Amino acid sequence: MTKTSYDVRVYEIEARKNSQGKVTSYRLEWRVDGERFKDSFKRKVQADKFRSDLVSAASKGTPFDVSTGLPMSATSVLKPLAWYAFACDYTDSKWKDASAKHRADIARVLMLATPMFFVTGRGKPDAKLLRRALSRYAYNTKQRGDAPEDVKAALAWVERNTRNVDFVADEEVLRNVLDVITTKQDGTRMAAVTVKKYRGILHNALQHAVVKKALASNPLTGLSWISVKASSEVDRRSVLNPPQGRAFLAAVAEEEAAGGRQLVAMFGAMLYCGLRPEEAVEVADYNLVLPDLVKNPETGELEEPPEDDDWGELFVGPVSPEVARDWTDSGDVRDTRSMPKHRAENETRGPIPVPPVQVRLFRAHLKEFGVGANGRLFRGVRVDHVPGTTIRELHRRARAKVLSNTELDTPLAKRPYDLRHTCLSTQLNAGIPPQQVAQWAGNSVEVLLRTYAKCLTGQADVMRKRMAAALRV
């Protein structure tokens, strides 16, 4: 039976602020029979409405459910909804607008959480089959209708044997679900950034359950759990210096069998223009502006202009992160999207300056390899796109050639993305204003400075000299 109480206390709304003093949410706390409940809202009007409803119900003598903290008038309209049916519905609701990578992340979180809702273990299919059935078919809108017979049988068992969504309203159950979705198979906790992302996906799913009236409120809102500190700061030890950068590109070019010669300009675009790997693979001739060659007055031949005049411009449009074919609408291994980081459709970034050293890499590439049928500069040895395995393998080989055995055991240029970090930290250390670097990089100034705080070197002496000069005036 549901335990109810008339002992209700509703407190004032508390404005929650971030480190910059800006209000980010409004939190309301109330108690029912001594049990503490809280919920957060993005807008004050939402918090006011919810508080008003609680106060009104309490003043009318409405009994409150001690397990949910809500008036019985609110909990009585909840609809029983089985977890499996809900999870499929949530997957379908997110599919159209989610990136392929986010679709895969949603499926993984739901797949890991689903066994926590099993009513019984009797007749349960093999664990490996269950994982495949849930992640590749049940929670994949595109694949669900094409499931093989063994998968269909496994999913039919799941459909018959999952509890309702409101099972997760119990705090102990919710904590167990959080532990399961953020723990690796070896029993260790996932990386902090992954924990934060997976918790966010679960929170969004439970909010969908509130909309579906399967839950009275989101039980994850305000839940005190493990402290997750995901640092976004770049380790300054991962950044190459200019001679190392030049040596790295030379080493890439030497890997002819692996396609290094036709991809050295792509690695250069990361190193000298600060492109992300998924942006670099999409560089096209129509987004690239190179200065014209100049005629030698003595020989009449076309030559490269002096370095001071040999700067180009680059615009960044579509991006193509690599993901499994099952998650893309096109069935390609790359999910081509208008822009990264939730930017507007068909938005471009630029112009980004292309320094002379990179201009000459682009020129050499265009002269030797031309462009593909779709205008893209870079292609694999056998395919019309650049596989992620090719990028990682060329990076690994070049790094092994350039760095000493001692350096190979350090974070120095450990990932292809570290080439972008090298470019942006070099620009900041050169004294280019953060606002300008952020614009070129496609970041906010706040994110840029937070990310590269540890990579700024040699600034203290400059600042002291400027201060001393100001004090002498």
Side-chain angles (χ1 to χ4, degrees):
M1 291 182 62
T2 302
K3 181 182 178 182
T4 62
S5 174
Y6 296 92
D7 179 12
V8 180
R9 296 186 64 184
V10 183
Y11 300 99
E12 294 298 324
I13 296 168
E14 179 187 358
R16 310 286 287 182
K17 298 181 179 181
N18 61 17
S19 57
Q20 284 77 41
K22 295 182 179 179
V23 174
T24 58
S25 64
Y26 297 88
R27 189 171 76 171
L28 175 65
E29 182 178 330
W30 72 102
R31 293 180 185 270
V32 178
D33 197 31
E35 294 291 330
R36 176 172 171 263
F37 298 91
K38 57 185 177 180
D39 206 346
S40 294
F41 304 85
K42 288 186 177 180
R43 301 177 185 275
K44 190 172 188 299
V45 66
Q46 296 170 327
D48 284 333
K49 174 66 168 60
F50 188 68
R51 185 180 186 280
S52 176
D53 290 344
L54 293 181
V55 172
S56 177
S59 64
K60 291 177 181 178
T62 304
F64 277 61
D65 185 339
V66 176
S67 64
T68 66
L70 296 175
M72 290 300 293
S73 57
T75 58
S76 61
V77 299
L78 294 183
K79 299 176 181 178
L81 180 60
W83 169 264
Y84 176 70
F86 157 75
C88 290
D89 179 76
Y90 175 69
T91 298
D92 295 345
S93 73
K94 304 297 288 186
W95 185 269
K96 182 178 179 180
D97 296 320
S99 68
K101 180 67 171 65
H102 191 54
R103 293 169 180 174
D105 285 335
I106 289 173
R108 179 166 176 77
V109 170
L110 296 177
M111 177 271 293
L112 291 171
T114 296
M116 300 298 294
F117 291 82
F118 289 163
V119 176
T120 177
R122 186 180 304 168
K124 186 173 73 171
D126 173 73
K128 187 174 181 180
L129 172 60
L130 268 179
R131 290 171 68 92
R132 182 168 69 93
L134 292 169
S135 61
R136 290 191 59 187
Y137 294 95
Y139 304 143
N140 183 313
T141 300
K142 186 177 78 170
Q143 299 277 103
R144 192 181 301 138
D146 298 325
E149 291 305 316
D150 60 338
V151 168
K152 288 180 179 178
L155 295 180
W157 183 92
V158 173
E159 189 172 10
R160 294 191 304 269
N161 290 281
T162 51
R163 293 182 171 89
N164 288 341
V165 176
D166 60 2
F167 179 61
V168 80
D170 183 286
E171 185 173 314
E172 183 177 352
V173 172
L174 181 57
R175 290 181 182 277
N176 288 338
V177 171
L178 282 169
D179 281 336
V180 166
I181 68 171
T182 59
T183 300
K184 294 188 286 189
Q185 289 184 318
D186 63 5
T188 61
R189 187 72 68 188
M190 294 176 184
V193 66
T194 305
V195 170
K196 185 177 181 181
K197 176 170 63 175
Y198 283 9
R199 175 176 172 143
I201 290 173
L202 180 62
H203 185 279
N204 191 268
L206 296 181
Q207 197 62 40
H208 184 70
V210 174
V211 173
K212 290 291 182 178
K213 298 190 181 302
L215 288 171
S217 62
N218 193 329
L220 193 48
T221 299
L223 178 73
S224 177
W225 191 53
I226 61 171
S227 177
V228 180
K229 295 183 179 180
S231 174
S232 60
E233 290 184 345
V234 172
D235 188 339
R236 63 186 296 179
R237 297 175 300 165
S238 67
V239 174
L240 295 167
N241 60 39
Q244 288 172 327
R246 291 190 291 271
F248 179 88
L249 293 182
V252 170
E254 291 172 2
E255 298 292 334
E256 292 193 41
R261 278 178 60 81
Q262 64 193 62
L263 294 180
V264 64
M266 185 196 73
F267 282 94
M270 295 184 242
L271 181 64
Y272 293 126
C273 301
L275 299 193
R276 301 175 178 92
E278 62 266 29
E279 295 170 342
V281 298
E282 286 292 330
V283 172
D285 59 348
Y286 51 80
N287 281 335
L288 182 62
V289 180
L290 300 180
D292 294 331
L293 297 175
V294 297
K295 183 180 291 187
N296 186 312
E298 296 180 0
T299 64
E301 296 181 355
L302 294 177
E303 297 179 346
E304 293 175 342
E307 280 207 7
D308 288 347
D309 300 325
D310 205 16
W311 284 76
E313 292 181 340
L314 175 64
F315 293 82
V316 175
V319 296
S320 293
E322 191 175 45
V323 70
R325 299 176 188 272
D326 291 349
W327 305 104
T328 62
D329 293 326
S330 63
D332 296 333
V333 294
R334 287 199 174 274
D335 179 32
T336 302
R337 292 179 282 124
S338 59
M339 283 293 285
K341 307 293 185 183
H342 312 291
R343 289 187 175 87
E345 189 73 20
N346 298 320
E347 180 183 351
T348 58
R349 186 174 87 245
I352 299 169
V354 181
V357 61
Q358 180 61 26
V359 166
R360 293 172 186 190
L361 288 176
F362 276 139
R363 281 206 193 102
H365 176 90
L366 290 168
K367 182 177 180 180
E368 185 172 358
F369 302 105
V371 298
N374 54 8
R376 280 197 303 232
L377 268 64
F378 307 117
R379 305 176 295 284
V381 176
R382 300 180 183 86
V383 290
D384 196 44
H385 64 274
V386 184
T389 51
T390 298
I391 296 174
R392 291 187 290 274
E393 180 61 17
L394 279 172
H395 178 271
R396 184 190 65 80
R397 292 187 186 187
R399 186 173 183 267
K401 280 186 176 181
V402 171
L403 304 184
S404 66
N405 290 334
T406 301
E407 290 172 328
L408 287 174
D409 292 331
T410 70
L412 184 59
K414 198 168 186 177
R415 309 169 303 154
Y417 208 98
D418 289 327
L419 299 179
R420 168 177 162 90
H421 291 327
T422 295
C423 175
L424 303 188
S425 60
T426 300
Q427 290 173 346
L428 288 170
N429 281 314
I432 299 174
Q435 295 87 341
Q436 182 61 75
V437 177
Q439 181 182 335
W440 293 337
N443 285 337
S444 68
V445 176
E446 179 187 1
V447 169
L448 182 83
L449 294 178
R450 184 173 67 243
T451 303
Y452 296 96
K454 291 183 178 178
C455 297
L456 298 176
T457 60
Q459 301 295 307
D461 289 342
V462 175
M463 295 302 107
R464 280 195 292 267
K465 289 178 181 178
R466 289 181 181 175
M467 180 61 74
L471 292 173
R472 285 196 296 268
V473 175

